[in-house]
Amino acid sequence: MLLSIENLYVKYGNIEALHGLSFHVNEGEIVTLIGANGAGKSTTQKSIMRLPPPEAPKVSGGDILFKGKSLLNVEPHDVVSKLHIALVPEGRHIFGNLSVMENLMLATYARKNDPAISRDLERIFDLFPRLAERRTQRSDTLSGGEQQMLAVGRALMTSCEVLLLDEPSMGLAPLLMYEMFRTLKELNREGLTIIVVEQNARLALQVASRGYVLDTGEIVAQGPSDSLLNDPEVKKAYLGG
Protein backbone atom coordinates (compact mmCIF):
# COMPACT_ATOMS: atom_id res chain seq x y z
CA MET A 1 0.00 0.00 0.00
CA LEU A 2 1.50 3.31 -1.11
CA LEU A 3 -0.80 5.88 0.49
CA SER A 4 -3.29 5.42 3.31
CA ILE A 5 -5.74 7.95 4.72
CA GLU A 6 -6.82 6.71 8.13
CA ASN A 7 -9.83 8.10 10.00
CA LEU A 8 -8.96 11.67 8.95
CA TYR A 9 -10.80 14.65 10.42
CA VAL A 10 -10.14 18.12 9.00
CA LYS A 11 -11.72 21.38 10.21
CA TYR A 12 -12.04 24.89 8.81
CA GLY A 13 -12.50 26.81 12.02
CA ASN A 14 -15.57 25.20 13.60
CA ILE A 15 -16.67 23.56 10.37
CA GLU A 16 -15.63 19.95 9.96
CA ALA A 17 -14.85 19.26 6.28
CA LEU A 18 -13.75 15.62 6.61
CA HIS A 19 -15.41 13.24 9.05
CA GLY A 20 -13.25 10.19 9.67
CA LEU A 21 -12.22 9.73 6.04
CA SER A 22 -10.39 6.49 5.24
CA PHE A 23 -9.16 5.15 1.92
CA HIS A 24 -5.98 3.82 0.33
CA VAL A 25 -4.08 3.95 -2.94
CA ASN A 26 -1.78 1.21 -4.19
CA GLU A 27 1.35 1.87 -6.19
CA GLY A 28 0.67 2.10 -9.93
CA GLU A 29 -3.09 2.72 -9.61
CA ILE A 30 -5.36 5.42 -10.89
CA VAL A 31 -7.88 6.16 -8.15
CA THR A 32 -10.64 8.72 -8.50
CA LEU A 33 -12.55 10.68 -5.87
CA ILE A 34 -16.01 11.74 -7.01
CA GLY A 35 -18.82 13.61 -5.33
CA ALA A 36 -20.77 16.84 -5.33
CA ASN A 37 -19.24 20.26 -4.75
CA GLY A 38 -18.34 20.65 -1.10
CA ALA A 39 -17.98 16.91 -0.52
CA GLY A 40 -14.38 17.27 0.66
CA LYS A 41 -12.51 16.09 -2.44
CA SER A 42 -10.20 19.08 -2.80
CA THR A 43 -9.67 19.25 0.97
CA THR A 44 -8.51 15.63 0.85
CA GLN A 45 -5.91 16.37 -1.81
CA LYS A 46 -4.69 19.51 -0.05
CA SER A 47 -4.40 17.53 3.18
CA ILE A 48 -2.18 15.00 1.43
CA MET A 49 -0.01 17.81 0.07
CA ARG A 50 0.03 19.52 3.50
CA LEU A 51 -0.99 22.63 1.55
CA PRO A 52 -3.80 24.43 3.37
CA PRO A 53 -5.83 27.13 1.58
CA PRO A 54 -6.14 30.57 3.23
CA GLU A 55 -8.76 29.27 5.66
CA ALA A 56 -6.06 27.02 7.16
CA PRO A 57 -7.83 23.73 7.84
CA LYS A 58 -6.56 21.79 10.82
CA VAL A 59 -6.26 18.04 11.13
CA SER A 60 -8.10 17.16 14.31
CA GLY A 61 -7.77 13.40 14.14
CA GLY A 62 -6.53 10.52 12.04
CA ASP A 63 -3.42 10.20 9.92
CA ILE A 64 -2.05 10.28 6.38
CA LEU A 65 0.55 7.59 5.74
CA PHE A 66 2.86 7.51 2.73
CA LYS A 67 4.98 4.38 2.43
CA GLY A 68 4.11 3.71 6.06
CA LYS A 69 5.24 7.10 7.41
CA SER A 70 3.00 9.92 8.61
CA LEU A 71 2.78 13.09 6.52
CA LEU A 72 1.19 15.22 9.22
CA ASN A 73 4.43 16.97 10.22
CA VAL A 74 5.96 17.10 6.74
CA GLU A 75 6.40 20.55 5.17
CA PRO A 76 4.64 21.10 1.83
CA HIS A 77 7.90 21.65 -0.05
CA ASP A 78 9.26 18.37 1.29
CA VAL A 79 6.14 16.53 0.12
CA VAL A 80 7.12 17.59 -3.40
CA SER A 81 10.91 17.52 -3.31
CA LYS A 82 11.57 14.56 -1.00
CA LEU A 83 8.47 12.38 -1.26
CA HIS A 84 7.84 13.13 -4.95
CA ILE A 85 4.13 13.85 -4.70
CA ALA A 86 2.82 16.66 -6.91
CA LEU A 87 -0.53 18.42 -7.27
CA VAL A 88 -2.17 19.95 -10.33
CA PRO A 89 -4.60 22.30 -8.57
CA GLU A 90 -8.05 23.30 -9.68
CA GLY A 91 -7.72 26.46 -11.75
CA ARG A 92 -4.18 25.52 -12.92
CA HIS A 93 -2.39 28.40 -11.14
CA ILE A 94 0.32 28.75 -13.75
CA PHE A 95 2.55 31.85 -13.74
CA GLY A 96 0.96 33.82 -16.55
CA ASN A 97 3.73 36.40 -16.85
CA LEU A 98 6.31 33.68 -17.48
CA SER A 99 6.86 31.65 -20.61
CA VAL A 100 5.95 28.00 -21.00
CA MET A 101 9.60 27.06 -20.62
CA GLU A 102 10.06 29.20 -17.52
CA ASN A 103 7.02 27.61 -15.86
CA LEU A 104 8.38 24.15 -16.54
CA MET A 105 11.88 24.93 -15.35
CA LEU A 106 10.63 26.52 -12.12
CA ALA A 107 9.35 23.09 -11.13
CA THR A 108 12.90 21.70 -11.25
CA TYR A 109 14.27 24.10 -8.61
CA ALA A 110 14.68 21.41 -5.95
CA ARG A 111 16.30 19.01 -8.42
CA LYS A 112 19.48 21.13 -8.62
CA ASN A 113 21.78 19.65 -11.28
CA ASP A 114 19.78 16.52 -11.97
CA PRO A 115 20.95 15.26 -15.38
CA ALA A 116 17.49 13.79 -16.02
CA ILE A 117 15.90 17.25 -16.30
CA SER A 118 16.59 17.51 -20.04
CA ARG A 119 15.16 14.05 -20.63
CA ASP A 120 12.04 14.86 -18.61
CA LEU A 121 11.56 18.11 -20.50
CA GLU A 122 11.66 16.30 -23.83
CA ARG A 123 9.15 13.80 -22.46
CA ILE A 124 6.78 16.66 -21.61
CA PHE A 125 7.11 17.99 -25.13
CA ASP A 126 6.44 14.49 -26.50
CA LEU A 127 3.29 14.24 -24.40
CA PHE A 128 2.16 17.78 -25.21
CA PRO A 129 3.52 18.87 -28.61
CA ARG A 130 1.62 22.17 -28.36
CA LEU A 131 3.81 23.15 -25.43
CA ALA A 132 6.91 22.50 -27.53
CA GLU A 133 5.52 24.80 -30.23
CA ARG A 134 4.81 27.52 -27.65
CA ARG A 135 7.80 27.11 -25.37
CA THR A 136 8.77 30.80 -25.57
CA GLN A 137 5.19 32.11 -25.41
CA ARG A 138 3.80 33.87 -22.34
CA SER A 139 1.62 31.42 -20.46
CA ASP A 140 -1.30 33.80 -20.02
CA THR A 141 -1.72 33.88 -23.81
CA LEU A 142 -2.29 30.12 -24.03
CA SER A 143 -5.73 28.60 -24.49
CA GLY A 144 -7.41 26.95 -21.52
CA GLY A 145 -6.48 23.51 -22.79
CA GLU A 146 -2.86 24.50 -23.30
CA GLN A 147 -2.72 25.99 -19.81
CA GLN A 148 -3.98 22.68 -18.40
CA MET A 149 -1.28 20.83 -20.35
CA LEU A 150 1.27 23.22 -18.87
CA ALA A 151 -0.05 22.68 -15.33
CA VAL A 152 0.29 18.90 -15.75
CA GLY A 153 3.70 19.25 -17.38
CA ARG A 154 4.92 21.49 -14.57
CA ALA A 155 3.88 18.90 -11.98
CA LEU A 156 5.64 16.13 -13.91
CA MET A 157 8.84 18.20 -14.03
CA THR A 158 9.15 17.79 -10.25
CA SER A 159 9.98 14.12 -11.03
CA CYS A 160 6.89 13.05 -9.11
CA GLU A 161 5.98 9.42 -8.47
CA VAL A 162 2.43 10.29 -7.38
CA LEU A 163 0.33 12.84 -9.26
CA LEU A 164 -2.77 14.46 -7.76
CA LEU A 165 -5.13 16.26 -10.13
CA ASP A 166 -8.04 18.46 -9.09
CA GLU A 167 -10.68 18.85 -11.83
CA PRO A 168 -8.31 18.42 -14.80
CA SER A 169 -11.14 18.58 -17.38
CA MET A 170 -12.71 21.79 -16.07
CA GLY A 171 -13.25 24.28 -18.89
CA LEU A 172 -11.88 21.99 -21.59
CA ALA A 173 -13.57 21.22 -24.88
CA PRO A 174 -14.60 17.55 -25.15
CA LEU A 175 -11.80 16.67 -27.57
CA LEU A 176 -9.13 18.14 -25.29
CA MET A 177 -10.75 16.54 -22.25
CA TYR A 178 -10.48 13.06 -23.74
CA GLU A 179 -6.95 13.81 -24.94
CA MET A 180 -5.95 14.79 -21.42
CA PHE A 181 -7.29 11.56 -19.93
CA ARG A 182 -5.59 9.48 -22.63
CA THR A 183 -2.33 11.13 -21.61
CA LEU A 184 -2.97 10.33 -17.95
CA LYS A 185 -3.63 6.72 -18.85
CA GLU A 186 -0.35 6.60 -20.77
CA LEU A 187 1.55 8.04 -17.81
CA ASN A 188 -0.05 5.46 -15.56
CA ARG A 189 1.05 2.65 -17.86
CA GLU A 190 4.58 3.97 -17.39
CA GLY A 191 4.22 3.52 -13.63
CA LEU A 192 2.88 6.84 -12.35
CA THR A 193 0.36 6.59 -9.49
CA ILE A 194 -2.53 9.02 -10.01
CA ILE A 195 -5.28 10.33 -7.72
CA VAL A 196 -7.83 12.35 -9.65
CA VAL A 197 -10.72 14.51 -8.48
CA GLU A 198 -13.04 15.02 -11.43
CA GLN A 199 -16.43 16.58 -12.11
CA ASN A 200 -16.96 14.23 -15.06
CA ALA A 201 -17.48 11.18 -12.87
CA ARG A 202 -18.23 8.82 -15.74
CA LEU A 203 -15.00 9.67 -17.56
CA ALA A 204 -12.97 9.44 -14.36
CA LEU A 205 -14.37 6.00 -13.54
CA GLN A 206 -13.72 4.79 -17.08
CA VAL A 207 -10.05 5.67 -16.68
CA ALA A 208 -9.51 4.73 -13.01
CA SER A 209 -9.14 1.24 -11.61
CA ARG A 210 -11.00 2.12 -8.39
CA GLY A 211 -13.12 4.93 -7.07
CA TYR A 212 -14.40 6.48 -3.86
CA VAL A 213 -17.62 8.49 -3.61
CA LEU A 214 -17.54 11.32 -1.06
CA ASP A 215 -20.54 13.05 0.46
CA THR A 216 -20.13 15.82 3.05
CA GLY A 217 -16.70 14.65 4.13
CA GLU A 218 -17.41 10.93 4.28
CA ILE A 219 -17.01 8.02 1.89
CA VAL A 220 -20.44 6.65 1.05
CA ALA A 221 -19.47 4.19 -1.70
CA GLN A 222 -16.29 2.60 -2.98
CA GLY A 223 -15.09 -0.18 -5.19
CA PRO A 224 -13.77 -1.11 -8.62
CA SER A 225 -14.72 1.42 -11.26
CA ASP A 226 -16.93 -1.04 -13.14
CA SER A 227 -18.96 -1.68 -10.01
CA LEU A 228 -19.47 2.02 -9.33
CA LEU A 229 -20.42 2.68 -12.95
CA ASN A 230 -23.18 0.09 -12.59
CA ASP A 231 -24.29 1.00 -9.08
CA PRO A 232 -27.87 2.35 -9.32
CA GLU A 233 -27.40 4.92 -6.55
CA VAL A 234 -24.10 6.20 -7.98
CA LYS A 235 -25.61 6.35 -11.47
CA LYS A 236 -28.61 8.30 -10.20
CA ALA A 237 -26.59 10.79 -8.15
CA TYR A 238 -23.46 11.31 -10.21
CA LEU A 239 -23.73 9.75 -13.66
CA GLY A 240 -26.93 11.26 -14.97
CA GLY A 241 -29.17 8.29 -14.29
Side-chain angles (χ1 to χ4, degrees):
M1 189 182 302
L2 184 66
L3 178 71
S4 177
I5 311 298
E6 299 184 352
N7 200 35
L8 187 67
Y9 289 81
V10 175
K11 290 183 176 181
Y12 293 83
N14 293 324
I15 300 172
E16 198 166 71
L18 300 181
H19 316 291
L21 191 74
S22 296
F23 71 92
H24 73 277
V25 179
N26 296 315
E27 187 172 359
E29 281 191 307
I30 300 180
V31 169
T32 185
L33 308 179
I34 62 175
N37 289 338
K41 306 183 300 297
S42 295
T43 296
T44 301
Q45 289 196 328
K46 288 172 181 173
S47 296
I48 294 169
M49 295 301 300
R50 315 307 305 133
L51 186 65
E55 294 86 354
K58 296 181 179 179
V59 174
S60 56
D63 208 345
I64 305 169
L65 301 176
F66 182 67
K67 296 182 178 179
K69 296 182 179 180
S70 177
L71 297 185
L72 295 187
N73 294 314
V74 178
E75 295 293 333
H77 57 272
D78 287 334
V79 173
V80 179
S81 63
K82 295 182 179 180
L83 302 181
H84 304 289
I85 305 173
L87 170 68
V88 180
E90 181 181 353
R92 299 153 193 156
H93 297 284
I94 61 171
F95 297 99
N97 62 324
L98 301 182
S99 70
V100 167
M101 191 71 166
E102 288 168 333
N103 267 274
L104 294 172
M105 294 309 295
L106 270 177
T108 69
Y109 176 78
R111 297 178 64 179
K112 304 301 181 185
N113 298 315
D114 186 348
I117 289 175
S118 295
R119 180 201 65 199
D120 291 347
L121 185 62
E122 289 308 309
R123 178 59 178 145
I124 299 304
F125 290 150
D126 286 341
L127 288 169
F128 304 115
R130 297 185 196 193
L131 296 183
E133 296 168 4
R134 294 159 173 75
R135 67 179 72 194
T136 61
Q137 189 170 323
R138 269 180 63 120
S139 300
D140 57 5
T141 66
L142 300 176
S143 70
E146 291 163 351
Q147 290 184 10
Q148 187 65 54
M149 295 174 194
L150 179 56
V152 173
R154 182 180 61 183
L156 294 173
M157 285 301 293
T158 65
S159 73
C160 61
E161 298 172 12
V162 181
L163 181 63
L164 281 59
L165 300 107
D166 194 353
E167 305 288 5
S169 77
M170 183 176 289
L172 300 188
L175 184 62
L176 286 176
M177 179 175 64
Y178 287 110
E179 182 180 331
M180 176 62 66
F181 274 84
R182 281 195 296 270
T183 300
L184 296 178
K185 194 72 173 177
E186 180 178 347
L187 289 166
N188 177 250
R189 285 194 292 268
E190 295 174 359
L192 186 66
T193 302
I194 298 174
I195 306 171
V196 58
V197 164
E198 176 52 50
Q199 59 180 345
N200 189 327
R202 184 178 298 277
L203 178 59
L205 288 170
Q206 287 171 346
V207 171
S209 53
R210 293 188 301 111
Y212 294 90
V213 181
L214 276 69
D215 185 20
T216 59
E218 299 177 291
I219 290 174
V220 295
Q222 61 180 289
S225 293
D226 288 346
S227 297
L228 292 176
L229 282 166
N230 293 301
D231 184 302
E233 293 300 319
V234 174
K235 290 172 69 173
K236 180 180 178 181
Y238 305 106
L239 305 177

